[in-house]
Amino acid sequence: MQFLVRAVYIIDHIDRITQEFGIVIKQIRVSVAGKLMIAGEWAVLVPKHPCIVCAIDRFVHATFYLSKKFKITSINNIKNLSFAESALDVVIQYLRENNFKIHAYAIALDSSEFEMILSDGTRSKLGFGSSAAVTVAVISGILHVYGFDTERSEVKDIIFKLACEAHFTAQGSEGSGFDIAASIYGGVLYYERFGKIEKIEIPDSWRLIVGFVGYSASTKNLVKHVKPVLFGDFGKRWADDISTVVCDLRKAFEEDSFAEARTALMNNRRLL
């Protein structure tokens, strides 16, 4: 598994360009990276409490092509398309508010890289943030076909705001947005909920080994259970302790101290 400096890749299929409605319409394919939380999970729900998260080389792929009406389908049978549908609603509303003439696209999604086939033949999600990546893919692709340069920092900021709105609407609650940030900005991020988003470096000689426990969890359900605890007295003290660990880990990365990083990660695990 590799960390990605860049998180959103857009490929224009030049051989499929057509001319309609007086504008050039392109069939495009968007690939958006997943995320891996390194430290600070759950505490990041509290404002000004950081986490460290990275973009990884597992992707959601989305293909967009001109259609008579908007339609979203899933190549790998995504059971819940509500995040993609919410993303489409939000980005189209944004375009309308900015006086764009709307043309419909069909969108085919593939999130199979975020799944694993288990020994019993069933599929399980890996927890790499497929809902966030799907949300970012839909918004990035639609903005791109309307002429937005998704590599520009100010456009990434627009995508982030729209994706957070869409994701929170579909999820039914406000998360932290760290997974969305990883899928837009890429790299390794020091992230605070609706605050700091800073890129940091992990020493090149270090390798991160990731294990899978064999089952996935529902973020929506866990957030509902965790948030009431977080904003009580115990939760605030616990979140402060996690924040100290995250800052220790960032310092260990910057100083290339593997021993200190290992201690910080163990402390993060102990607190969880």
Side-chain angles (χ1 to χ4, degrees), residues 2-260:
Q2 297 179 341
F3 302 126
L4 296 179
V5 174
R6 185 180 173 193
V8 178
Y9 296 79
I10 296 181
I11 302 172
D12 292 319
H13 296 276
I14 303 301
D15 58 324
R16 297 294 296 275
I17 290 179
T18 58
Q19 183 78 23
E20 297 198 26
F21 307 112
I23 62 172
V24 174
I25 306 296
K26 302 176 181 179
Q27 176 181 324
I28 66 165
R29 187 177 192 238
V30 179
S31 297
V32 174
K35 58 78 180 171
L36 181 68
M37 172 67 82
I38 298 178
E41 51 267 60
W42 300 118
V44 73
L45 286 165
V46 181
K48 297 184 179 181
H49 286 67
C51 73
I52 295 177
V53 62
C54 63
I56 57 172
D57 58 345
R58 293 290 183 100
F59 295 91
V60 161
H61 305 285
T63 303
F64 298 73
Y65 50 94
L66 192 66
S67 179
K68 293 181 179 179
K69 62 179 181 178
F70 283 107
K71 181 181 180 181
I72 301 174
T73 58
S74 169
I75 293 173
N76 63 311
N77 296 317
I78 299 174
K79 294 180 180 179
N80 185 1
L81 291 174
S82 61
F83 290 95
E85 292 164 350
S86 180
L88 185 59
D89 290 343
V90 166
V91 72
I92 294 303
Q93 180 62 31
Y94 173 80
L95 291 171
R96 288 196 173 112
E97 290 172 354
N98 286 275
N99 301 316
F100 283 86
K101 185 177 180 180
I102 304 302
H103 310 297
Y105 283 84
I107 307 169
L109 299 169
D110 180 4
S111 64
S112 57
E113 292 185 25
F114 287 60
E115 299 175 337
M116 174 179 284
I117 300 177
L118 304 179
S119 57
D120 61 1
T122 60
R123 289 182 175 270
S124 177
K125 294 173 66 176
L126 291 168
F128 289 152
S130 58
S131 63
V134 162
T135 303
V136 173
V138 171
I139 292 172
S140 298
I142 291 294
L143 289 182
H144 180 77
V145 298
Y146 278 89
F148 287 77
D149 182 356
T150 56
E151 286 301 303
R152 292 175 59 185
S153 60
E154 57 266 38
V155 176
K156 288 183 179 182
D157 292 344
I158 291 171
I159 295 170
F160 179 72
K161 292 175 182 177
L162 295 177
C164 285
E165 179 184 346
H167 198 269
F168 297 164
T169 299
Q171 189 166 268
S173 62
E174 288 192 5
S176 67
F178 77 87
D179 44 3
I180 295 169
S183 288
I184 294 170
Y185 298 104
V188 184
L189 301 178
Y190 177 91
Y191 175 86
E192 292 179 4
R193 185 173 185 252
F194 309 135
K196 292 181 181 178
I197 303 177
E198 299 175 351
K199 285 200 173 185
I200 61 177
E201 300 290 335
I202 292 180
D204 292 338
S205 60
W206 294 17
R207 294 292 179 268
L208 184 64
I209 299 174
V210 181
F212 177 56
V213 297
Y215 58 88
S216 60
S218 169
T219 301
K220 179 179 179 179
N221 292 336
L222 285 172
V223 167
K224 285 182 178 180
H225 285 90
V226 170
K227 285 187 79 171
V229 177
L230 275 177
F231 292 93
D233 290 339
F234 169 79
K236 289 178 180 177
R237 291 195 301 271
W238 175 84
D240 289 343
D241 289 341
I242 288 282
S243 293
T244 299
V245 168
V246 170
C247 292
D248 289 344
L249 182 59
R250 177 177 183 171
K251 183 179 179 182
F253 289 159
E254 293 170 345
E255 297 179 352
D256 196 2
S257 175
F258 184 81
E260 293 299 324

